[in-house]
Amino acid sequence: MRHVVSVLVQDKPGVLQRIAGLIARRGFNIESLAVGRTHQEGLSRVSLVVTGDDRVLEQVEKQLNRLVEVIKVTDHSEPHVERELALVKVAVPGMEERLEIKDIAEAFRARIVDVARKSIIFELTGDSSKVQNFIEAMRPYGLLEVMRTGAVALSRGEQVLKVREKKPAV
């Protein structure tokens, strides 16, 4: 089972390394990882996707909560909005293929962000399956490069992560 987990952390050097190391040491695989600052000074949000049953998720949450810099861990099993950004560079050998590729991109609502004589770079935002389906649709034309951000997620509605300071360990 695929789990999208948000981790609100103190924005300090080494936090991402500690999170990734902790998960790797437990033998769990991180399918995707995205990190960015939040609207609150000094806080960042780490969004990661892990695969496993509920026991795996429970272990990941427990281990993350043990880190001093971690403020809140949220499993997005509740209704949430999830998006991923991808840049996809596709080979374009001729005019006929260029038109076909543009038609496919339009169906996926991908934007052209760069055009060269023999390639086009598309920007695409959507859920992970939409991004993967676009990549597969472009594969026959010749994928030159693909860069994906990994999933980011927020809970739907009024639910927000409440920031509460952890009590210091004794």
Side-chain angles (χ1 to χ4, degrees), residues 15-27 30:
V15 173
L16 179 59
Q17 180 181 359
R18 292 187 71 197
I19 289 171
L22 179 144
I23 292 172
R25 280 192 307 278
R26 301 296 184 272
I30 298 174

Side-chain angles (χ1 to χ4, degrees), residues 21-167:
L22 179 144
I23 292 172
R25 280 192 307 278
R26 301 296 184 272
F28 304 133
N29 186 43
I30 298 174
E31 194 176 297
S32 77
L33 179 69
V35 184
R37 290 188 175 137
T38 69
H39 64 289
Q40 294 175 287
E41 186 72 28
L43 297 180
S44 289
R45 185 184 306 250
V46 178
S47 179
L48 50 95
V49 177
V50 293
T51 305
D53 58 18
D54 289 339
R55 184 191 62 75
V56 168
L57 177 65
E58 184 181 338
Q59 284 302 308
V60 167
E61 288 178 338
K62 282 181 180 178
Q63 296 302 318
L64 289 171
N65 277 314
R66 293 176 74 185
L67 295 177
V68 173
E69 299 90 353
V70 170
I71 296 165
K72 176 85 174 161
V73 178
T74 303
D75 169 31
H76 289 288
S77 55
E78 79 286 345
H80 66 281
V81 175
E82 180 182 329
R83 292 293 179 266
E84 184 175 335
L85 169 70
L87 294 175
V88 181
K89 186 186 290 186
V90 181
V92 185
M95 187 55 76
E96 188 175 314
E97 292 89 355
R98 186 176 294 266
L99 295 174
E100 289 175 18
I101 289 169
K102 284 183 177 181
D103 286 345
I104 294 169
E106 191 174 297
F108 280 89
R109 295 191 176 124
R111 282 185 342 119
I112 296 173
V113 293
D114 185 66
V115 178
R117 278 190 60 227
K118 302 242 180 211
S119 69
I120 298 176
I121 299 177
F122 294 100
E123 173 189 300
L124 177 69
T125 305
D127 62 31
S128 296
S129 64
K130 177 183 176 181
V131 172
Q132 188 59 42
N133 289 337
F134 178 74
I135 291 168
E136 293 307 318
M138 292 293 140
R139 193 173 298 283
Y141 298 97
L143 291 175
L144 299 175
E145 290 184 273
V146 174
M147 182 62 207
R148 298 171 73 163
T149 60
V152 295
L154 289 176
S155 299
R156 287 191 179 273
E158 290 75 37
Q159 184 177 346
V160 295
L161 290 177
K162 301 288 186 205
V163 178
R164 287 182 298 239
E165 287 298 318
K166 284 182 160 181
K167 294 178 183 167

